[in-house]
Amino acid sequence: MNCLVCVEPGQMALEPRPLPVHAPEGWVLVDIAAIGLCGTDYHIFEGKHPFLDYPRVIGHELSGHIAEGPDAGKLVVINPYVSCGSCRACRRGKPNCCSRIQVLGVHRDGGMCSRLAVPAENLYQADGLTAEQAAMVEFLAIGAHAVARSGVGSEDLVLVTGAGPIGLGTALFARLAGAEVHLLDVSQTRLELARDLFGFELGHRPGEDLLQGHLKEGFDAVFDATGNAKAIEAGFPYLAHGGSAVLVSVVKDDITFNDAEFHKREARIIGSRNALKADFYRVMDAIRSGQIPTGAIASKKLSLAELPERFQGLARDRGHLVKVLVTP
């Protein structure tokens, strides 16, 4: 089978690998049906990911069909977070932040290929979803998990900084929680996509005076989905007293803030990493019920064979895209 490999920053290639025919005990062979391109994949291509060694088969937003056994042919969503099951985080029901986590497509080779072995416990049946919808579940679960971590509800004012796919997923689930959702992004194009495709009318650019009118006391939660340390730091002044800064994106840099201002607000910083099984099922329920407009999410569909030639252009133009879906 051919696999899409990021050989080194800036270089993508299709490489032949043996088609898996046996899975380790407790693992299952899955024939990949659809793959979503993630900001993480672009960061890997650009050499900006803090947890990755090259070369790497990318791809972690995955759906597929079970390849063998009594459940052969069933469509599943693949949870790409392979946890150890024994560290303190795992024992406390937090396998998403396992201290020895191995994320497909990041710490270990991923699913930009035809077939993959996956732990059985990481497969969730996707009844009622298409293969393409199932491939969207993981990235949406990131936002669903962040919103669940924040505890926002119907009385809350929310600011999501970064209107890319992760930010949009976060905004969608914050809106489903009943919050008033505002978006902040440097790109007018992204803000217009968020408005036109998903109905987010409250879009803002940096430099605007947001803290006025009913927003003058700040936001109850500020979610960062920018992947930019300066943007994260710029988000702290938007916090209301008693508010929470939720860091959804990952950066290599140190982050600083004014301690006196932070304490005055009795603010919280919440790291949100990956997602839990419950988040995956929450997303699937929302898709089935029509609360998530998956048709608007799918911006472009490509085959695996097209990616080596197209990847650099996709990375350059991703400000105009929500989600690129790939079929092997």
Side-chain angles (χ1 to χ4, degrees), residues 264-321:
K264 183 172 70 175
R265 289 166 167 78
E266 197 182 52
R268 295 190 301 167
I269 298 178
I270 301 173
S272 184
R273 188 178 187 193
N274 301 326
L276 293 167
K277 182 177 182 179
D279 302 309
F280 280 77
Y281 278 102
R282 184 179 303 113
V283 170
M284 285 193 276
D285 287 343
I287 292 174
R288 291 188 192 101
S289 65
Q291 294 176 300
I292 300 296
T294 54
I297 291 172
S299 304
K300 193 180 292 287
K301 300 174 185 180
L302 300 172
S303 69
L304 187 64
E306 296 177 85
L307 280 187
E309 183 178 343
R310 299 285 300 275
F311 203 92
Q312 186 170 9
L314 294 171
R316 183 183 60 246
D317 298 335
R318 64 184 183 266
H320 296 84
L321 304 168

Side-chain angles (χ1 to χ4, degrees), residues 249-264:
S249 63
V250 179
V251 297
K252 289 184 176 181
D253 311 278
D254 293 336
I255 299 165
T256 62
F257 54 88
N258 183 282
D259 182 63
E261 286 295 325
F262 189 80
H263 269 81
K264 183 172 70 175

Side-chain angles (χ1 to χ4, degrees), residues 49 61 148-149 152 160 304 315:
H49 199 286
E61 299 180 4
R149 293 269 291 148
V152 300
V160 178
L304 187 64

Side-chain angles (χ1 to χ4, degrees), residues 6-286:
C6 190
V7 181
E8 60 185 22
Q11 183 181 350
M12 286 287 184
L14 283 180
E15 292 186 1
R17 300 283 178 91
L19 183 76
V21 293
H22 300 291
E25 184 178 355
W27 293 49
V28 176
L29 294 177
V30 180
D31 290 325
I32 301 300
I35 311 120
L37 273 183
C38 177
T40 295
D41 300 317
Y42 297 127
H43 291 156
I44 291 169
F45 179 73
E46 295 164 341
K48 297 179 180 178
H49 199 286
F51 305 132
L52 184 124
D53 295 319
Y54 299 87
R56 178 65 68 222
V57 179
I58 65 168
H60 63 275
E61 299 180 4
L62 307 168
S63 70
H65 296 94
I66 294 175
E68 58 185 359
D71 292 326
K74 286 189 176 179
L75 180 67
V76 291
V77 171
I78 297 174
N79 179 338
Y81 323 130
V82 181
S83 57
C84 73
S86 59
C87 72
R88 184 165 181 81
C90 287
R91 296 197 308 271
R92 293 169 64 86
K94 299 180 179 182
N96 60 304
C97 59
C98 167
S99 62
R100 293 185 285 274
I101 199 166
Q102 295 281 296
V103 180
L104 300 177
V106 179
H107 304 91
R108 61 188 300 147
D109 285 342
M112 282 283 184
C113 57
S114 297
R115 180 178 287 181
L116 191 65
V118 182
E121 63 188 13
N122 286 56
L123 301 178
Y124 309 144
Q125 289 194 23
D127 298 340
L129 273 60
T130 67
E132 291 177 348
Q133 287 175 323
M136 299 178 192
V137 171
E138 189 273 342
F139 98 84
L140 290 167
I142 299 288
H145 182 69
V147 171
R149 293 269 291 148
S150 72
V152 300
S154 59
E155 300 297 319
D156 291 317
L157 300 173
V158 163
L159 178 66
V160 178
T161 62
I166 297 298
L168 288 171
T170 302
L172 285 166
F173 281 91
R175 185 167 66 185
L176 287 177
E180 179 182 307
V181 180
H182 295 249
L183 293 173
L184 177 67
D185 200 287
V186 296
S187 169
Q188 185 63 33
T189 299
R190 281 213 173 274
L191 293 174
E192 290 172 359
L193 280 174
R195 180 196 63 206
D196 296 342
L197 296 177
F198 305 101
F200 289 110
E201 300 286 348
L202 304 173
H204 310 278
R205 300 284 297 281
E208 289 185 30
D209 183 10
L210 288 182
L211 302 182
Q212 55 182 318
H214 75 295
L215 303 176
K216 66 181 179 181
E217 295 186 271
F219 294 88
D220 302 295
V222 176
F223 295 85
D224 180 84
T226 65
N228 182 287
K230 294 301 182 184
I232 293 172
E233 292 173 351
F236 287 110
Y238 291 123
L239 281 175
H241 284 237
S244 299
V246 187
L247 307 186
V248 191
S249 63
V250 179
V251 297
K252 289 184 176 181
D253 311 278
D254 293 336
I255 299 165
T256 62
F257 54 88
N258 183 282
D259 182 63
E261 286 295 325
F262 189 80
H263 269 81
K264 183 172 70 175
R265 289 166 167 78
E266 197 182 52
R268 295 190 301 167
I269 298 178
I270 301 173
S272 184
R273 188 178 187 193
N274 301 326
L276 293 167
K277 182 177 182 179
D279 302 309
F280 280 77
Y281 278 102
R282 184 179 303 113
V283 170
M284 285 193 276
D285 287 343

